[in-house]
Amino acid sequence: MKSKDSRLVADLLKDRHSVRKFDPTFNLDEDDLELIIKAARFSPSSFGILNSRIIVIKNKTFRQSLLPYFYYQTALVDCSVYLLFVVDHGDYILSESIFKARKYILDPETLTKHEIDLSNIISSWDERLTWGEGFNPTQWSIAQTYINMTASMIQAEQLHIDTTPHEGFNQVQLTKFLQERGYLHPHEVVGIGLALGKVNPEQTHANNQEKIRKSLADYVLVID
Ligand SMILES: Cc1cc2nc3c(=O)[nH]c(=O)nc-3n(C[C@H](O)[C@H](O)[C@H](O)COP(=O)(O)O)c2cc1C
């Protein structure tokens, strides 16, 4: 059992900082990695759809080959472990993923609930598709990865592991590269990445800077 860090989730988020320079000598503990993945796996998803999974990239030589797609962000290579959150294409969700979710989740006790959920998603999507340009099923699918990634990021902070979310990559080229090597199914796309490790000791000053955020008054509107 991991020793408990008693910080509240709000403070975990306040205290963490995105790292640009990782300590390349740090190795992430397997137990910590397991918890970080668990947090993502137990994240909620819209309609309970099982549209996402994680590719855990430990191999640094392989990460080196991905650098051009990440605009040469060195954090990709210098971090200890890199997580890629990948998802099903929108069209595949309607034809396959929802039925996979049904097979997984259905049991005699939840049968009714999930039957309703499935018809809900179909009618909801039919309605959304009438929005035309306003609804992109693949973007909807990718949006789910942000929830998974955030859960992993918070769990990592509680374990005193530094993180950086990465949206800065060429999604089309990275997806093609991974598909060509068989790491990604043809019906999948890359959603978001998360670097895990420890901040480079030379960069720790960056982690002591106060966070820049909107003031509470600018951020919150209360309708009583
Ligand atoms: C969705 C998302 C994508 C991001 N993409 C990148 C990225 O590609 N490279 C990077 O260095 N930081 C990236 N960041 C980190 C942000 O720059 C950082 O969260 C922001 O500046 C606030 O700083 P903080 O995370 O230290 O609070 C990303 C953050 C989020 C939430």
Side-chain angles (χ1 to χ4, degrees), residues 16-18 20 73 146 164-168 192 211 213:
R16 68 158 294 285
H17 291 266
S18 291
R20 267 74 203 199
Q73 298 193 67
Y146 283 63
T164 309
H166 282 153
E167 203 178 39
I192 193 161
K211 290 217 161 190
R213 293 294 188 267

Side-chain angles (χ1 to χ4, degrees), residues 22 63-64 66-67 70 73-79 82 166 195:
F22 280 91
R63 279 190 252 157
Q64 196 88 34
L66 300 180
L67 266 179
F70 281 82
Q73 298 193 67
T74 52
L76 169 70
V77 177
D78 290 340
C79 69
Y82 199 83
H166 282 153

Side-chain angles (χ1 to χ4, degrees), residues 109-205:
E109 281 179 19
T110 57
L111 183 73
T112 317
K113 179 175 177 289
H114 286 285
E115 286 288 6
I116 291 166
D117 281 351
L118 290 176
S119 59
N120 271 354
I121 183 173
I122 290 164
S123 60
S124 155
W125 275 46
D126 281 348
E127 200 267 331
R128 285 178 199 217
L129 287 165
T130 65
W131 301 353
E133 304 255 323
F135 180 60
N136 176 326
T138 300
Q139 286 305 323
W140 175 91
S141 186
I142 289 171
Q144 310 299 318
T145 63
Y146 283 63
I147 300 164
N148 297 214
M149 181 281 291
T150 304
S152 287
M153 190 177 75
I154 297 168
Q155 180 56 81
E157 176 63 23
Q158 199 192 35
L159 297 166
H160 303 169
I161 301 299
D162 293 312
T163 55
T164 309
H166 282 153
E167 203 178 39
F169 54 82
N170 184 320
Q171 199 217 37
V172 174
Q173 288 180 7
L174 179 62
T175 295
K176 186 167 173 276
F177 180 91
L178 294 170
Q179 282 174 345
E180 282 169 358
R181 278 148 192 84
Y183 294 118
L184 214 57
H185 299 302
H187 63 262
E188 289 179 318
V189 289
V190 180
I192 193 161
L194 185 68
L196 303 169
K198 279 276 184 208
V199 65
N200 191 312
E202 292 161 20
Q203 293 287 308
T204 46
H205 63 277

